[in-house]
Each structure stands twice: as C-alpha cells, then as structure tokens.
C-alpha cells in the first residue's frame, strides 16, 4: 500500500458505501447491488458508488445495470467507471464504509485484498468476504468485517447496516485499519 497516497484524506462522510474494483463477477458487484435493496429498507437514503472498469466483462456490467433498474436503485447506486485519482480520493473522503464482496468463481478468486488495504489506508471501515484473499487484508472486528460468500445478499446488508448504525465502531475500525495499512 502506498500509504502516502491516502494519508491526506480528511473524512466528510455521508457518501454511503464505496466499492473500488472492476465491475466483474468475482468482485461481487451484483451482490453488492442486491444488498443495497435490503439496506434501503432501514436506510432509505443509503447510496453506493462503484468505481472501476466497466469494460472487462461487458455482459456482466449489463446484468448489473439491469439489476439496478429491476430493484429501482438507479438513484442509489452509481457505476462511475474509471475516474481520475483526485476524484477517487474525494470518493474515499465522502464514503462511510468500503465494501468489496469478492467471490470465488471457478478458478477466479480474490488472491489478495489490496483494495481493502487501500480503503483501510484511507481510514474507512471495510467489509470483505471469507474464503479468499480478503482474509489476509481484514482483521475481523478490528479493521473491518468479513461476511461469508454464501450469504452475501443478507450478510453484506447486515454488515453495512451495522457500521452505518454505529459510527463510533466504524471510526474505530477505520482508525485501526489506517494504522495497519501504515
């Protein structure tokens, strides 16, 4: 982690959930969208911003867009594609929680949770998944939360709700994550 890249981020919050990574199946972006539908029940103003390539798996991106429409989340979930680094840093500053719900799909898996560690360097509490490289990047209940890949739709929404409801816990996890990333 290039800690200095993230060191100057001052949190303003209010931006909801941030995910950074290519929009492809093994990154679990579809499941993140589905979790947002559940999260909306308790947090009607919750937002999710997904930053990353929209070109690597175009059929999957179409499927994610279709799911956003089906769940009427167009005003709550944004897929930005690639953005300049200064805008990415603004997204980190505005976010309340970082989520990367990686999935093991055949031989494709999250080998190492670098995006989770970068979000930790930015001072965000992080949510990752078990049974993949996220377990090397997230210390459960210390720097973030891990949810089982087998229950992402509900587990991810529950984990995000837990952090959104408890800003003191979120701040503690974010601070511990930042210290670890340093």
């Amino acid at each position: 982690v290039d800690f200095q890249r993230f060191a100057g981020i001052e949190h303003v919050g209010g931006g909801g959930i941030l995910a950074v990574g290519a929009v492809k199946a093994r990154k679990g972006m579809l499941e993140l969208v589905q979790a947002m539908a559940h999260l909306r029940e308790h947090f009607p103003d919750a937002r999710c911003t997904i930053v990353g390539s929209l070109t690597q798996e175009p059929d999957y991106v179409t499927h994610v867009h279709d799911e956003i429409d089906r769940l009427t989340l167009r005003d709550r979930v944004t897929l930005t594609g690639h953005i300049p680094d200064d805008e990415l840093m603004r997204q980190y500053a505005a976010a309340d929680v970082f989520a990367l719900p990686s999935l093991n799909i055949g031989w494709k898996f999250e080998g190492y949770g670098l995006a989770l560690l970068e979000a930790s360097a930015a001072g965000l509490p992080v949510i990752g998944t078990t049974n993949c490289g996220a377990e090397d990047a997230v210390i459960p209940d210390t720097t973030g939360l891990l949810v089982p890949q087998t229950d992402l739709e509900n587990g991810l929404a529950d984990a995000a709700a837990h952090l959104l409801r408890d800003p003191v816990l979120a701040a503690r996890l974010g601070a511990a994550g930042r210290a670890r990333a340093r």
Side-chain angles (χ1 to χ4, degrees):
V1 174
D2 177 2
F3 185 77
Q4 289 309 311
R5 180 175 171 220
F6 302 94
I9 293 175
E10 296 289 331
H11 284 279
V12 293
I17 299 169
L18 175 65
V20 177
V23 179
K24 52 187 180 180
R26 77 173 179 82
K27 297 292 185 181
M29 299 306 184
L30 179 67
E31 289 74 11
L32 179 56
V33 167
Q34 292 165 341
M36 286 301 297
H38 292 284
L39 195 60
R40 174 178 54 192
E41 295 171 17
H42 301 286
F43 296 90
D45 295 330
R47 296 195 45 76
C48 178
T49 302
I50 300 171
V51 177
S53 174
L54 302 175
T55 61
Q56 293 183 19
E57 293 182 9
D59 291 341
Y60 180 76
V61 172
T62 298
H63 186 58
V64 171
H65 277 297
D66 290 346
E67 191 71 350
I68 291 168
D69 289 340
R70 184 184 76 78
L71 296 170
T72 63
L73 291 170
R74 187 63 65 184
D75 62 336
R76 298 282 168 235
V77 178
T78 304
L79 278 63
T80 68
H82 285 292
I83 58 176
D85 199 58
D86 61 332
E87 175 59 24
L88 179 60
M89 295 304 125
R90 283 192 289 278
Q91 291 292 335
Y92 280 116
D96 300 301
V97 174
F98 183 89
L100 187 64
S102 303
L103 295 168
N104 298 338
I105 300 175
W107 59 272
K108 297 176 182 178
F109 61 94
E110 192 71 44
Y112 187 70
L114 181 60
L116 292 159
L117 286 171
E118 289 179 339
S120 288
L124 291 173
V126 297
I127 302 170
T129 53
T130 58
N131 199 30
C132 69
E135 290 181 317
D136 293 326
V138 179
I139 302 171
D141 301 317
T142 300
T143 64
L145 304 174
L146 291 173
V147 296
Q149 290 185 29
T150 55
D151 185 30
L152 275 185
E153 189 171 337
N154 293 311
L156 185 55
D158 290 346
H162 184 59
L163 294 173
L164 292 172
R165 270 192 206 104
D166 191 344
V168 172
L169 171 64
R172 182 173 54 80
L173 296 178
R178 182 170 258 184
R180 180 167 189 253
R182 182 186 317 248

